[in-house]
Amino acid sequence: MGVTRISEVDIYLFNEGTHLSLFNKLGSHPMVDGRIEGTYFAVWAPNARHVYVTGDFNDWSRVSHPIYPRDASGIWEGFIPGVKKGDLYKYHIISRDIAYSVNKADPMALRHELPPRTASIVWDLEYWWDDQEWMNRRHEQNRFDKPMSIYEIHLGSWRRGLEDNGFLNYRDLAHQLAEYVKEMGFTHIELLPIMEHPFYGSWGYQITGYFAPTSRYGTPQDFMYFVDHLHQNGIGVILDWVPSHFPTDQHGPAYFDGTHLYEHSDPRKGLHPDWNSAIFNYGRNEVRSFLLSNALFWVDKYHVDGLRVDAVASMLYLDYSREEGEWIPNEFGGRENIDAISLLKDFNREIYHAHPGIQTSAEESTAWPGVSKPVDVGGLGFGYKWDMGWMHDTLAYLARDPIHRKHHHNELSFRMLYSWTENYILPLSHDEVVHGKGSLLQRMSGDDWQAFANLRLLFGYMFAQPAKKLLFMGDEFAQRNEWYHEKSLDWHLLDAPSHAGVKNLVRDLNQLYRAEPALHELDVDPQGFEWIDADDAINSTLTLLRKGRRPEDLVVAAFNLTPVPRHKFRIGLPTGGYWQEILNTDAEIYGGSGMGNYGGREADATGWNGRPCSLEVVLPPLAAVFFKPGRPENNS
């Protein structure tokens, strides 16, 4: 099975903080010792006086099956004959220094019981993959000059069983998602954390089983099938990864051996004030080995194509969400978490070295410099950073009554002042449709018609901007209610033309984004963007030019941010000739009024916006319109 007992080299690397494949050594591993079948167990518990394996194979006896310390490594190990795949187990730990004993789930287990039960399960990762074609070309799919449009999903509430509202299996979800995502034109999916978590209402962000996909939706092999099937359909799979904190449930890693083993003991460093959860001790070498191995595990064993790291800002700053006196400065007196910074750099360095075709991204909400710059030039080494500022400003703007928008024009134009400081993803994520914020549709200003038009305008503006895209499930068909994890999305809304229209628009925006090099090729290169007119605050319009590497790859986008149609609106252009209208968010198929430009217009030699030619068009109300040079028959 490719698993061997832990060696002296493994112990050295583990204690040094550089072991990158602990999943092959610690945990439980069915194997044959001589001619005897059984399971090898290994767990890190340096403060334990005794460690026993207790499970259904020994009627949960706490003392019948001891394992033993490996020298002074802090690791306890042992081979137990007869224990097989599928057996339940925990470690019964008796602490060295205090009268403390506890049953703990295995932090390295590959599978756990279905919550609310908490035992670990002896398992393996044998699976026959059939995604070699995808894996061979993944490095091409994930390049910066390729389109990346991400559909963010919570597996437990995307769709549920029709009869019992129960969870679907990973395999059922694989087929339904692949069909839907292909129809909609997304390039990748991103899953809210699927690592095992005891509290479903945490959406996966309170993890106790870092090496196990949650049993709510099936087995590890079922999840492998899920990734495999998505890959066979040309869809990348990104996982949300949470190295920032973990819950303090008794069966989990917290206070594991009667000491704060994985977390800091001082609550000023070890307790997260926002989530009342434990913070990893990033300065402890063995914890670094655990986290680095975990990140590589999902890419190595489950073939995932990227990791999105949650709550990076909370890792970077020692005073994050803390008042004066509630945090401890670093050794230089500053607020930066030097150990966390080092870990994040090592994470990106190691994962890109081992798997050059993947991408990492950071949810980082501050102005920390160089989040997506290489480590060797002083950056954190991520491939991308979420543009939280764009999300905040754009949603704030579109919530305003159009009559007031002229006073807040900079909320849309400001992004381009910092747009090239990082490689950005524009996120309209799950965080924007929870905790009383309402759905995206509910956040748009105006009556129902205007709200739908504003939402279509938002999506048009998003896809015209230079950056990769991320959209949370349900937003693509204008889910009316705030997301609720205990039920399926409201798919019945697609019976209404207004909702079906938004879905059609997102599908066509994805297709346009993928088809036009000007809209994706230079997403992270300032050569790919120019404002045509960013200063028309009085009329609340914007016009911009997107460019590809070839001079002929051009797309112009114009935005009317008021409900007043703009007739004879003139756009400055770099070239004359015919300009084809390639998408109009006010088209009737999208639920709009149908106002437009009859498929395109002929540009003339009238200079405008400092350019030699210009195009006179109709800008529909609350709409985005896209043009490219040439007639349709010449742009097949």
Side-chain angles (χ1 to χ4, degrees):
M1 297 182 185
V3 176
T4 58
R5 293 173 182 261
I6 196 160
S7 68
E8 295 302 318
V9 172
D10 291 316
I11 292 171
Y12 176 81
L13 294 175
F14 177 51
N15 294 150
E16 188 186 53
T18 58
H19 204 305
L20 303 179
S21 56
L22 279 180
F23 44 86
N24 287 329
K25 300 297 180 177
L26 299 185
S28 59
H29 301 281
M31 61 193 310
V32 177
D33 188 8
R35 296 184 177 180
I36 302 173
E37 293 187 2
T39 296
Y40 171 69
F41 294 90
V43 63
W44 180 48
N47 195 56
R49 182 184 301 275
H50 301 288
V51 178
Y52 303 89
V53 183
T54 177
D56 58 357
F57 60 89
N58 62 11
D59 294 324
W60 296 99
S61 168
R62 294 187 173 187
V63 295
S64 62
H65 288 79
I67 55 177
Y68 300 97
R70 178 69 175 270
D71 303 323
S73 66
I75 294 171
W76 296 69
E77 64 174 349
F79 176 80
I80 302 180
V83 178
K84 61 188 182 303
K85 177 179 176 180
D87 285 348
L88 305 180
Y89 73 100
K90 285 186 176 182
Y91 295 114
H92 181 65
I93 297 173
I94 299 175
S95 183
R96 180 187 304 275
D97 300 325
I98 58 175
Y100 176 80
S101 63
V102 66
N103 283 352
K104 287 287 190 178
D106 188 345
M108 304 288 296
L110 302 176
R111 186 181 177 191
H112 296 278
E113 279 189 292
L114 180 66
R117 302 181 69 86
T118 58
S120 303
I121 304 176
V122 176
W123 208 254
D124 62 39
L125 295 178
E126 291 186 355
Y127 179 82
W128 186 265
W129 289 90
D130 198 22
D131 65 345
Q132 199 57 48
E133 181 181 348
W134 169 270
M135 297 296 284
N136 287 341
R137 59 185 175 87
R138 178 168 67 181
H139 65 286
E140 289 289 327
Q141 300 292 114
N142 281 345
R143 281 171 27 182
F144 291 124
D145 62 354
K146 295 294 184 180
M148 177 180 279
S149 180
I150 304 166
Y151 187 48
E152 189 190 31
I153 301 160
H154 178 254
L155 283 182
S157 56
W158 182 68
R159 279 185 181 150
R160 291 273 188 109
L162 294 177
E163 296 181 358
D164 60 358
N165 195 42
F167 296 133
L168 300 181
N169 181 274
Y170 289 119
R171 293 175 185 256
D172 296 327
L173 286 162
H175 288 268
Q176 294 186 36
L177 264 172
E179 180 180 357
Y180 184 73
V181 170
K182 283 179 71 174
E183 174 199 350
M184 292 301 295
F186 292 100
T187 64
H188 295 70
I189 65 168
E190 181 172 308
L191 301 180
L192 270 63
I194 52 84
M195 299 80 178
E196 193 60 83
H197 49 286
F199 177 46
Y200 176 68
S202 76
W203 314 329
Y205 288 97
Q206 296 279 7
I207 297 168
T208 53
Y210 272 79
F211 290 82
T214 178
S215 294
R216 291 173 177 88
Y217 319 123
T219 69
Q221 280 73 17
D222 291 336
F223 184 60
M224 290 176 174
Y225 180 91
F226 175 93
V227 177
D228 198 354
H229 188 74
L230 270 292
H231 282 174
Q232 291 175 47
N233 282 273
I235 300 162
V237 179
I238 301 167
L239 299 188
D240 214 332
W241 187 52
V242 190
S244 49
H245 65 110
F246 61 95
T248 56
D249 298 58
Q250 187 183 60
H251 72 279
Y255 206 63
F256 190 77
D257 61 356
T259 64
H260 296 281
L261 190 61
Y262 288 88
E263 71 274 23
H264 283 282
S265 59
D266 191 322
R268 291 174 296 175
K269 295 180 74 174
L271 187 67
H272 202 295
D274 288 347
W275 303 306
N276 196 33
S277 52
I279 299 174
F280 284 105
N281 184 348
Y282 305 114
R284 187 161 192 169
N285 285 343
E286 295 86 351
V287 174
R288 295 173 71 90
S289 288
F290 175 86
L291 289 172
L292 293 173
S293 291
N294 184 243
L296 286 158
F297 169 80
W298 292 101
V299 181
D300 183 16
K301 299 300 185 182
Y302 284 92
H303 289 201
V304 301
D305 305 294
L307 295 174
R308 175 265 194 187
V309 182
D310 179 62
V312 170
S314 75
M315 299 174 66
L316 294 174
Y317 298 99
L318 293 165
D319 63 345
Y320 185 87
S321 285
R322 298 179 189 273
E323 301 295 332
E324 189 69 32
E326 296 178 349
W327 59 282
I328 304 173
N330 64 33
E331 60 192 276
F332 304 107
R335 58 196 285 253
E336 300 82 9
N337 190 330
I338 294 170
D339 292 331
I341 295 165
S342 172
L343 175 81
L344 290 171
K345 289 181 176 181
D346 285 350
F347 154 73
N348 281 306
R349 184 189 295 110
E350 297 296 348
I351 204 166
Y352 278 114
H353 174 74
H355 302 278
I358 62 94
Q359 287 287 6
T360 65
S361 60
E363 184 207 20
E364 204 287 306
S365 55
T366 75
W368 187 278
V371 172
S372 60
K373 302 303 179 186
V375 173
D376 58 7
V377 297
L380 293 182
F382 287 93
Y384 293 101
K385 172 179 173 174
W386 278 22
D387 192 343
M388 311 293 280
W390 170 85
M391 172 275 298
H392 178 271
D393 290 348
T394 305
L395 291 179
Y397 180 92
L398 290 171
R400 301 184 189 280
D401 189 304
I403 199 171
H404 302 303
R405 290 179 177 176
K406 62 185 177 182
H407 303 297
H408 302 276
H409 198 67
N410 66 307
E411 288 180 334
L412 293 188
S413 60
F414 176 72
R415 175 179 187 258
M416 301 317 299
L417 296 179
Y418 66 83
S419 183
W420 314 113
T421 59
E422 303 279 1
N423 303 327
Y424 280 115
I425 292 173
L426 304 183
L428 293 173
S429 75
H430 65 281
D431 280 328
E432 308 319 310
V433 293
V434 292
H435 301 319
K437 296 176 185 175
S439 67
L440 286 188
L441 182 65
Q442 290 172 326
R443 298 180 69 171
M444 301 295 105
S445 70
D447 59 22
D448 207 50
W449 190 93
Q450 289 191 2
F452 273 94
N454 275 307
L455 185 62
R456 296 192 302 268
L457 176 57
L458 167 63
F459 293 152
Y461 187 65
M462 177 185 191
F463 276 80
Q465 287 282 302
K468 307 310 180 186
K469 330 297 178 187
L470 180 141
L471 198 61
F472 184 57
M473 64 181 199
D475 292 343
E476 79 278 11
F477 62 81
Q479 173 94 2
R480 281 191 178 272
N481 295 320
E482 187 175 272
W483 170 54
Y484 182 46
H485 59 273
E486 292 287 4
K487 70 182 188 72
S488 170
L489 296 177
D490 295 329
W491 294 101
H492 64 276
L493 292 175
L494 287 170
D495 293 335
S498 54
H499 293 275
V502 174
K503 177 175 176 282
N504 291 337
L505 173 64
V506 172
R507 176 201 64 205
D508 289 355
L509 282 168
N510 272 326
Q511 291 176 351
L512 187 68
Y513 172 61
R514 297 175 71 159
E516 295 296 334
L519 290 177
H520 66 254
E521 204 168 53
L522 299 177
D523 263 340
V524 300
D525 186 331
Q527 299 302 313
F529 175 89
E530 292 178 18
W531 283 120
I532 296 173
D533 187 356
D535 300 321
D536 187 17
I538 295 298
N539 296 307
S540 296
T541 70
L542 285 169
T543 48
L544 59 85
L545 176 67
R546 294 296 308 278
K547 299 180 289 183
R549 289 199 180 95
R550 301 186 309 167
E552 61 267 34
D553 287 328
L554 302 171
V555 170
V556 164
F559 307 90
N560 181 3
L561 299 148
T562 74
V564 179
R566 306 292 175 187
H567 297 280
K568 296 185 178 181
F569 184 84
R570 192 165 284 276
I571 304 171
L573 298 174
T575 62
Y578 187 84
W579 283 72
Q580 176 192 167
E581 186 180 64
I582 52 177
L583 190 140
N584 180 340
T585 66
D586 192 52
E588 290 182 3
I589 190 176
Y590 307 140
S593 65
M595 188 177 293
N597 296 279
Y598 304 102
R601 295 286 177 91
E602 198 78 33
D604 57 42
T606 303
W608 205 258
N609 302 129
R611 298 167 192 275
C613 303
S614 60
L615 191 67
E616 189 177 86
V617 302
V618 173
L619 274 193
L622 295 173
V625 186
F626 293 72
F627 299 91
K628 66 183 260 188
R631 295 183 181 274
E633 60 267 25
N634 297 327
N635 293 278
S636 58

